C-alpha cells in the first residue's frame, strides 16, 4: 500500500518541489496551501490539493481530516509552510513579528498536535520540519525570523525524544538560501515596507544589496535539492536527525564548530556594520 504524506506550504518553492518528489516516488500526497486555487498542475489520483492555514487551528484540523478521509492514513507530515522577514526589529510592528512566529513556529506545532492522534491509532509516523540555516548562524536583520526558526529547531529536537516512545520520528531539514529566495521582496510583498529608523538606513541598504550579488555557481541549494533532502528524511531509518542543504548551510555549520573566539571573529566579519 502506498504511503501518504501531507505537505504544508505547497503553492511554490520547497513545498511544491516536495509534492512532486513524493509523487515521483510513488506516495499519495496531500498538498496543502492557504488558497487551493493557487495550485496549478495536472490532476493525479494520488494527489489531494486542499486548504490548510497553519495559523488557524480549525483549518489545520479540517486539512488533516480531509487527508485521512481521502487516503485512510497519514504516514508523514512535512511542515514546510513558512514566511521570511528581512527588517530592522526596532522598526517592525508587533503584528508582523507575531505573524512570523505564528506561521513558522506555532503553525508546525498546530499541525503536529492535529496529526498525532492519527499516528497513534496507526502505530507511528514521521514528522519532517523545514527550518533554516539561520538556526545555525542567525543572520543580521532577520532577528524575528531567526527566533522563529531557531524555536522550531529546538522544539523539534526536544520533542523527538518523547515522541519516540510512540514510534513517531522527528527530522529537520535545514536549507540555506535558494536561488529564488528574496527576503527583501518577501517582506515588502507580504507585510509592506517596515519602518527603517534613520540610524539603520545605510546598513539596511548595504545588507539588502548582498542578496543581489550573484553566488558562485551551485553554491545555493535549489528547490529540488531541498525536496530530495525532505524525501530522504521521510524514509530514513538510520536515526539521523538533521539534513543541512546547500554549500552556504554547510559553511555556516563549519563556522559554528570553530572555537568561540574564532566564531565571534567570523560572524563580525560577515555581519557587523562598518564603523
Amino acid at each position: 500500500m502506498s504511503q501518504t504524506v501531507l505537505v504544508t506550504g505547497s503553492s511554490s518553492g520547497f513545498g511544491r518541489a516536495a509534492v512532486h518528489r513524493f509523487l515521483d516516488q510513488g506516495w499519495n500526497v496531500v498538498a496543502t496551501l492557504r488558497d487551493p486555487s493557487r495550485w496549478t498542475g495536472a490532476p493525479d489520483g494520488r494527489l489531494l490539493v486542499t486548504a490548510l492555514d497553519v495559523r488557524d487551528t480549525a483549518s489545520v484540523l479540517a486539512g488533516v481530516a480531509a487527508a485521512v478521509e481521502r487516503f485512510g492514513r497519514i504516514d508523514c507530515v512535512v511542515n514546510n509552510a513558512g514566511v521570511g522577514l528581512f527588517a530592522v526589529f526596532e522598526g517592525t510592528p508587533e503584528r508582523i513579528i507575531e505573524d512570523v512566529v505564528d506561521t513558522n513556529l506555532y503553525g508546525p506545532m498546530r499541525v503536529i498536535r492535529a496529526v498525532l492522534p492519527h499516528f497513534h491509532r496507526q502505530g507511528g509516523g514521521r514528522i519532517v520540519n523545514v527550518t533554516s540555516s539561520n538556526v545555525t548562524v542567525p543572520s543580521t536583520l532577520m532577528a524575528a525570523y531567526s527566533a522563529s526558526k531557531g524555536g522550531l529547531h529546538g522544539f523539534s529536537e526536544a520533542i523527538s525524544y518523547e515522541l519516540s516512545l510512540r514510534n513517531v520520528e522527528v527530522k529537520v531539514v535545514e536549507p540555506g538560501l535558494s536561488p529564488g529566495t528574496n527576503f527583501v521582496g518577501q517582506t515588502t510583498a507580504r507585510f509592506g515596507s517596515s519602518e527603517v529608523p534613520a540610524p539603520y538606513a545605510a546598513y539596511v541598504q548595504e545588507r539588502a544589496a548582498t542578496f543581489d550579488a550573484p553566488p558562485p555557481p551551485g553554491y545555493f541549494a535549489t528547490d529540488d535539492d531541498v525536496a530530495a533532502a525532505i524525501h530522504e528524511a521521510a524514509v530514513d531509518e538510520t536515526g539521523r536527525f538533521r539534513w543541512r542543504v546547500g554549500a552556504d548551510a554547510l559553511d555556516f555549520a563549519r563556522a559554528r564548530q570553530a572555537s568561540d573566539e574564532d566564531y565571534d571573529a567570523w560572524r563580525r566579519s560577515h555581519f557587523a556594520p562598518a564603523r
Side-chain angles (χ1 to χ4, degrees):
M1 183 176 67
S2 296
Q3 291 187 295
T4 298
V5 61
L6 183 149
V7 182
T8 68
S10 297
S11 61
S12 61
F14 303 153
R16 188 177 182 87
V19 167
H20 290 295
R21 179 78 179 193
F22 280 99
L23 285 172
D24 290 344
Q25 296 297 318
W27 288 59
N28 300 319
V29 180
V30 183
T32 74
L33 51 165
R34 291 176 183 175
D35 180 4
S37 69
R38 294 183 60 193
W39 180 266
T40 57
D44 190 306
R46 290 186 289 107
L47 173 65
L48 170 66
V49 179
T50 191
L52 190 156
D53 183 345
V54 299
R55 302 170 302 175
D56 181 83
T57 299
S59 175
V60 170
L61 291 171
V64 169
V68 174
E69 180 179 0
R70 172 68 176 272
F71 296 116
R73 60 186 289 129
I74 300 173
D75 299 280
C76 179
V77 164
V78 177
N79 280 308
N80 166 75
V83 60
L85 179 64
F86 179 88
V88 174
F89 175 78
E90 189 175 346
T92 305
E94 187 173 340
R95 64 174 178 81
I96 293 178
I97 294 171
E98 289 176 346
D99 189 82
V100 170
V101 176
D102 197 18
T103 303
N104 294 353
L105 177 57
Y106 296 143
M109 290 181 175
R110 292 187 187 98
V111 173
I112 291 169
R113 279 190 181 276
V115 79
L116 281 178
H118 301 283
F119 282 174
H120 298 335
R121 279 196 292 271
Q122 67 197 29
R126 182 69 56 96
I127 297 164
V128 180
N129 292 332
V130 179
T131 61
S132 165
S133 58
N134 274 39
V135 165
T136 301
V137 175
S139 297
T140 183
L141 299 174
M142 296 185 191
Y145 175 79
S146 295
S148 67
K149 289 295 189 177
L152 179 58
H153 178 92
F155 167 75
S156 301
E157 187 168 344
I159 202 174
S160 68
Y161 307 112
E162 58 197 77
L163 288 182
S164 68
L165 297 170
R166 306 296 299 272
N167 198 31
V168 176
E169 288 196 58
V170 181
K171 312 285 189 178
V172 297
V173 172
E174 186 176 309
L177 286 175
S178 70
T181 302
N182 180 357
F183 274 91
V184 181
Q186 285 180 13
T187 299
T188 301
R190 183 170 176 78
F191 301 115
S193 297
S194 296
E195 178 185 353
V196 179
Y200 303 100
Y203 182 58
V204 169
Q205 291 180 352
E206 171 193 328
R207 298 308 307 177
T210 64
F211 287 96
D212 298 326
Y219 187 67
F220 292 149
T222 66
D223 292 344
D224 288 338
D225 293 334
V226 176
I230 290 171
H231 177 263
E232 185 177 336
V235 300
D236 176 71
E237 298 294 342
T238 69
R240 180 178 174 182
F241 173 70
R242 186 179 201 165
W243 278 254
R244 291 186 172 99
V245 192
D248 55 333
L250 296 175
D251 283 348
F252 277 13
R254 282 188 287 269
R256 197 75 201 218
Q257 289 164 3
S259 67
D260 289 344
E261 293 79 6
D262 287 344
Y263 174 69
D264 281 343
W266 179 89
R267 69 180 180 83
R268 283 194 292 266
S269 72
H270 278 68
F271 301 123
R275 296 292 182 180

